[in-house]
Amino acid sequence: MADRHEPASGWAPTRALGRAVLLTGLLLIAAVLLGRIDLVVLATPFALGTAYALRRRPTALPELEIVTGEAQLVEGAPMAATVVVANPDTVSYDMALVRTRMSRWLRVEKAGFGGAGVDVSRSGGADRPFVTAVPSGTAVDLELTGTALRWGRHPVGPAGVRVAAADGLLVSRAVLTEPARMRVYPMTEPFEAVEAMPRAAGLVGAHHSRRPGEGGELAGVRVFAPGDRLRRIDWRVSLRARQLHVAATLSDRDAEVVVLLDVLAEAGRSGGIRGPASVLDTTVRAAAAIAEHYLHRGDRVALLEYGPAARRLRPASGRRQYLTVLEWLLDVQAESSPHEPYDKVFGPQLLSPDALVVVLTPLLDERSAQMLARMARGGRFVVAVDTLPADLPTPKDRGWAEVAYRLWRLDRETMIGQLREHGVPVVRWAGAGSLDLVLRDVARLASAPRVGGR
């Protein structure tokens, strides 16, 4: 909306124009009242200069656009954005004043027009004003370069511009543009896991199942039966037993991995990729690493949120699923809720009975521990990954804050011990090899015979 002091065209006189008109008028009035011709001579340059400057008045307002660089950025990678100021008029703009806002997770280090970037990291960043001239029918680019510090959808803008024309006698109203969103994907920490899986459910894959089939794992030698392939014949055993025998193998199957993100609570303060990590940072980066590992091996990966929103991503495999996982993780937010989200998250037949459920949780809410114990009692293969920062600062307030913090720590350790007694392994996330021992134990328990069935 135009300012009430500006005409409908969007252009308004500046104080310089007001001073020029006022001074010219005063000199002419004084010349008439005093009968002095020299005052007319003094007023003539001001009148002629103002008239000459206003001979071509601009009519069109400037155009503003924000263009982001790379469509797929990763934490710590260089970022680039451009604020384009265009002049659609036939009159040049003497000066354009451009300002833009940036997310605090997009650190701008250099900014400038036409590639002449200057260091702005210590002088207010991208929020400082930038000034340039814009000739008629052209556009100038304010280039912003820096570093993407944290995952998420970060706004670039809004941006605004005001231009002056007619030798600074006219100024346009502020032209604003909506912010553009820059997607920054989480950095996938190096992660590797053992081959062992509790149970493989698919038809083909990389995991050795306990079912006979066409695979690479030798299960034994048996008598030849109709339908067996000739290349499976074990000639040594056949000659010794005087009857055809074949080598029996176990089938190789894929597995389904469900990554469950506990978003009921947040702790710690995020410092970006180069600073300390909060609970949400560790959760998102660990989820991306686990999904990348299993999708690279051909497994099916699904994502769930344990929170009021109960967002979910259906299980799938392949590179397309990995890109979908990264996109899905950008919208993860910590949300507290007074209600129990278990029934909302785990609907009927939502989880496969053979799926490995990796729960990323800080164990700050009692409902999270109850959820883990409930899944373990239901016969699920559950692994809990502790995402609470190990360097969580101790409160320094006076009084009982430090004592309360110690009691909370003891209570949390007791809760973790009770979860392990219920058969839920709890391991702290530490990048590569974090889940090796735990996955071996879970696979060993899954292959052990059970009394009375599952």
Side-chain angles (χ1 to χ4, degrees):
M1 181 179 294
D3 189 82
R4 60 181 180 179
H5 299 293
E6 296 173 355
S9 62
W11 292 87
T14 63
R15 293 182 178 179
L17 177 57
R19 288 193 296 267
V21 173
L22 178 62
L23 182 59
T24 303
L26 291 177
L27 289 175
L28 292 177
I29 293 174
V32 172
L33 294 178
L34 301 177
R36 295 181 56 180
I37 193 64
D38 56 331
L39 295 179
V40 177
V41 175
L42 289 176
T44 301
F46 294 100
L48 294 178
T50 303
Y52 182 81
L54 295 175
R55 74 190 189 284
R56 297 182 62 192
R57 299 182 58 181
T59 57
L61 293 174
E63 298 176 354
L64 194 62
E65 182 183 9
I66 299 177
V67 180
T68 57
E70 287 286 337
Q72 299 179 357
L73 289 177
V74 183
E75 290 178 302
M79 54 77 59
T82 304
V83 181
V84 182
V85 182
N87 181 2
D89 209 324
T90 57
V91 179
S92 299
Y93 297 152
D94 301 323
M95 182 188 70
L97 180 67
V98 185
R99 297 195 71 167
T100 180
R101 291 183 179 178
M102 299 285 289
S103 168
R104 68 188 185 99
W105 300 117
L106 300 176
R107 187 176 65 187
V108 178
E109 299 166 353
K110 289 186 178 181
F113 288 99
V118 295
D119 188 2
V120 297
S121 57
R122 297 183 180 180
S123 58
D127 194 35
R128 55 170 286 186
F130 296 91
V131 179
T132 185
V134 186
S136 61
T138 61
V140 294
D141 297 340
L142 172 61
E143 299 178 358
L144 309 171
T145 58
T147 307
L149 299 180
R150 189 175 184 258
W151 58 272
R153 303 181 190 273
H154 303 303
V156 180
V161 61
R162 296 193 74 170
V163 299
D167 293 339
L169 300 181
L170 296 176
V171 64
S172 72
R173 64 173 174 85
V175 176
L176 304 177
T177 184
E178 294 295 326
R181 296 285 175 175
M182 184 173 289
R183 295 177 295 179
V184 181
Y185 295 135
M187 175 177 288
T188 53
E189 301 179 14
F191 172 72
E192 296 178 358
V194 295
E195 296 286 336
M197 290 292 289
R199 189 171 295 168
L203 298 177
V204 294
H207 301 288
H208 303 312
S209 71
R210 291 177 291 166
R211 299 182 182 181
E214 296 294 329
E217 185 74 8
L218 184 64
V221 180
R222 59 175 175 80
V223 179
F224 180 86
D228 289 336
R229 297 187 179 184
L230 296 180
R231 62 186 180 89
R232 294 287 187 181
I233 297 178
D234 191 325
W235 293 106
R236 291 184 180 181
V237 178
S238 300
L239 292 175
R240 188 166 54 249
R242 297 182 180 277
Q243 187 180 6
L244 285 179
H245 283 70
V246 294
T249 57
L250 298 176
S251 61
D252 294 336
R253 301 194 171 200
D254 66 347
E256 181 175 329
V257 180
V258 178
V259 183
L260 179 62
L261 285 69
D262 180 4
V263 294
L264 289 177
E266 168 72 315
R269 179 171 296 179
S270 176
I273 192 62
R274 300 173 184 174
S278 66
V279 166
L280 214 57
D281 288 342
T282 304
T283 299
V284 170
R285 292 166 187 164
I290 294 173
E292 181 185 26
H293 171 76
Y294 285 109
L295 288 172
H296 181 70
R297 298 178 55 190
D299 295 324
R300 287 168 289 122
V301 175
L303 271 72
L304 288 175
E305 267 190 7
Y306 190 71
R311 294 194 310 133
R312 61 193 65 178
L313 180 65
R314 63 176 182 82
S317 59
R319 176 167 177 79
R320 182 176 181 179
Q321 177 70 356
Y322 175 61
L323 297 177
T324 307
V325 165
L326 293 180
E327 194 74 20
W328 189 90
L329 289 173
L330 295 183
D331 298 319
V332 174
Q333 294 181 352
E335 299 179 81
S336 60
S337 172
H339 307 290
E340 171 60 58
Y342 188 92
D343 295 332
K344 186 177 180 180
V345 175
F346 302 103
Q349 301 179 351
L350 180 62
L351 293 181
S352 169
D354 298 323
L356 170 64
V357 183
V358 181
V359 183
L360 303 171
T361 173
L363 292 173
L364 294 175
D365 197 306
E366 187 177 350
R367 291 171 295 178
S368 302
Q370 294 174 355
M371 174 266 295
L372 289 168
R374 188 173 175 181
M375 293 181 64
R377 288 195 302 266
R380 301 284 184 183
F381 304 110
V382 185
V383 175
V385 180
D386 186 3
T387 58
L388 189 70
D391 55 350
L392 197 65
T394 306
K396 301 298 183 182
D397 299 338
R398 296 180 179 178
W400 298 95
E402 187 174 353
V403 177
Y405 177 79
R406 292 179 182 177
L407 290 175
W408 170 78
R409 277 287 189 182
L410 291 175
D411 182 66
R412 186 173 181 274
E413 293 298 328
T414 302
M415 180 173 59
I416 293 176
Q418 292 175 348
L419 285 174
R420 288 170 177 163
E421 291 178 358
H422 279 80
V424 180
V426 181
V427 60
R428 181 175 294 278
W429 176 256
S434 297
L435 310 182
D436 279 356
L437 296 179
V438 174
L439 289 179
R440 287 193 185 98
D441 294 340
V442 173
R444 191 180 301 113
L445 291 175
S447 60
R450 298 190 179 188
V451 179
R454 185 173 177 174

